[in-house]
């Protein structure tokens, strides 16, 4: 097997393999995620090839000098149970050596991740509903394109373990997306982005100074989607206000992941995290 199986970085056009496999697993990736994922770390996506054919994927995206996030850990159905996943896992973790690493894994895999030195920090809950036909008028709401990017970048850094400037600059400009900020007294008090996915649209991130700001942003995005469109919001379970926001909007719990780290959880102010950016990149 060793001479038939090789792990290497993906070429840019090969990221579609991981996205298609993730869609088949029910993870519902965004339609235009690939360029932004590559902007985060062009070398952060690995492909396992068996006899020259794609067999396994993993993402090991590096942020700054000390943080990394692992995702897209998928072995092609029909090839599972043959050690291919372990090989690409080992290669991915070797590339993240010396870093604090986070991941969002399905609960059924928690024991396997624990064996690799990861421990549960919290759970994320995916909520589903439809948009609304409401009309939301609030002078504090502005398109993110009208906010100085440096201000947005600094605000985002409050809620993520490391800077992600290149990723963020791409993420908020995805085709077909809606990206809004809420300004109070000349300062950014929250922002949210909603992007088209294989099914419906996902809101993420949704960061806000308080529950009232989060409510306004959420209502505006639902109105933007319209009542016929499905929308999704991934909330950290340990932020009670975020879970309450989803329930207040009639959202149903449809999926969950376990946020795990290979060490103590990275400290971020969860009181302001109402929707995480993505399960793939954190």
């Amino acid at each position: 097997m060793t001479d038939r199986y090789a792990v290497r970085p993906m070429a840019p056009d090969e990221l579609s393999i991981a996205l298609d496999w993730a869609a088949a697993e029910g993870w519902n990736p965004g339609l235009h995620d690939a360029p932004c994922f590559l902007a985060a770390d062009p070398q952060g996506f690995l492909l396992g090839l068996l006899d020259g054919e794609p067999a396994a994927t993993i993402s090991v995206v590096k942020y700054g000098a000390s943080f990394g996030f692992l995702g897209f850990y998928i072995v092609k159905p029909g090839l599972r149970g043959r050690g291919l996943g372990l090989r690409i896992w080992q290669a991915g973790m070797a590339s993240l050596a010396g870093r604090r690493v986070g991941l969002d894994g399905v609960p059924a895999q928690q024991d396997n991740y624990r064996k690799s030195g990861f421990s549960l920090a919290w759970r994320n809950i995916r909520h589903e509903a439809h948009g609304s036909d409401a009309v939301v008028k609030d002078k504090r709401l502005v398109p993110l394109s009208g906010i100085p990017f440096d201000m947005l970048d600094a605000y985002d850094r409050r809620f993520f373990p490391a800077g992600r400037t290149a990723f963020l600059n791409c993420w908020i400009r995805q085709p077909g997306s809606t990206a809004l900020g809420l300004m109070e007294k000349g300062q950014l008090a929250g922002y949210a982005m909603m992007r088209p996915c294989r099914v419906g649209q996902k809101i993420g991130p949704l960061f806000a100074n308080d529950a009232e700001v989060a409510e306004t942003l959420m209502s505006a995005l639902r109105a933007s989607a319209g009542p016929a469109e499905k929308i999704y919001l991934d909330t950290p379970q340990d932020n009670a206000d975020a879970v309450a926001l989803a329930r207040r909007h009639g959202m149903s719990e449809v999926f969950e992941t376990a946020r795990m780290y290979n060490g103590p959880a990275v400290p971020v102010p969860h009181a302001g995290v109402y929707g995480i950016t993505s399960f793939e990149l954190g």
Side-chain angles (χ1 to χ4, degrees):
M1 175 68 72
T2 54
D3 59 343
R4 297 172 51 202
Y5 186 60
V7 176
R8 61 163 173 77
M10 289 183 190
D13 61 354
E14 290 174 327
L15 185 51
S16 62
I17 297 169
L19 289 162
D20 287 343
W21 288 4
E25 295 290 328
W27 300 349
N28 195 24
L31 298 181
H32 308 289
D33 286 353
C36 303
F37 286 176
L38 291 168
D41 181 359
Q43 299 299 308
F45 301 84
L46 305 182
L47 182 65
L49 296 162
L50 181 63
D51 295 330
E53 295 297 322
T57 62
I58 199 168
S59 62
V60 281
V61 170
K62 303 169 191 66
Y63 293 104
S66 59
F67 183 61
F69 203 86
L70 186 150
F72 284 118
Y73 181 40
I74 307 170
V75 176
K76 187 177 181 179
L79 296 177
R80 296 171 182 175
R82 300 171 61 176
L84 306 181
L86 179 60
R87 287 278 304 281
I88 199 169
W89 171 277
Q90 291 171 335
M93 288 301 295
S95 76
L96 294 174
R99 293 172 180 262
R100 180 71 51 79
V101 181
L103 62 82
D104 282 326
V106 294
Q109 292 296 322
Q110 283 187 43
D111 287 344
N112 288 333
Y113 295 136
R114 285 193 185 96
K115 292 174 183 176
S116 296
F118 284 76
S119 57
L120 177 67
W122 65 82
R123 290 182 171 83
N124 294 311
I125 305 171
R126 174 161 295 170
H127 303 266
E128 176 191 83
H130 282 86
S132 76
D133 56 5
V135 176
V136 178
K137 294 183 178 181
D138 192 314
K139 293 181 179 180
R140 299 174 301 167
L141 290 170
V142 294
L144 282 186
S145 59
I147 295 173
F149 181 75
D150 288 348
M151 179 184 290
L152 173 65
D153 197 23
Y155 188 82
D156 183 82
R157 183 66 181 84
R158 291 169 51 184
F159 303 103
F160 197 76
R164 50 179 183 173
T165 301
F167 166 81
L168 185 64
N169 197 27
C170 177
W171 191 252
I172 63 171
R173 293 175 171 83
Q174 286 197 33
S177 66
T178 304
L180 298 173
L182 191 147
M183 299 292 293
E184 290 184 332
K185 298 179 180 179
Q187 298 297 316
L188 187 60
Y191 89 92
M193 185 269 199
M194 182 172 68
R195 73 195 198 280
C197 294
R198 303 289 178 101
V199 178
Q201 300 190 50
K202 280 186 195 171
I203 297 170
L206 172 47
F207 299 153
N209 287 359
D210 56 45
E212 187 273 333
V213 171
E215 173 67 33
T216 301
L217 288 165
M218 179 71 174
S219 296
L221 291 179
R222 285 193 66 208
S224 174
E229 184 80 300
K230 282 187 176 180
I231 60 169
Y232 299 89
L233 177 70
D234 300 330
T235 65
Q237 190 180 38
D238 61 352
N239 182 351
D241 286 342
V243 176
L245 173 70
R247 291 174 178 168
R248 195 160 57 247
H249 283 264
M251 305 190 85
S252 302
E253 297 181 11
V254 295
F255 188 67
E256 74 172 66
T257 65
R259 172 62 61 88
M260 306 181 80
Y261 290 99
N262 63 342
V266 178
V268 292
H270 267 190
V273 179
Y274 291 81
I276 68 166
T277 307
S278 80
F279 286 157
E280 295 81 18
L281 266 69

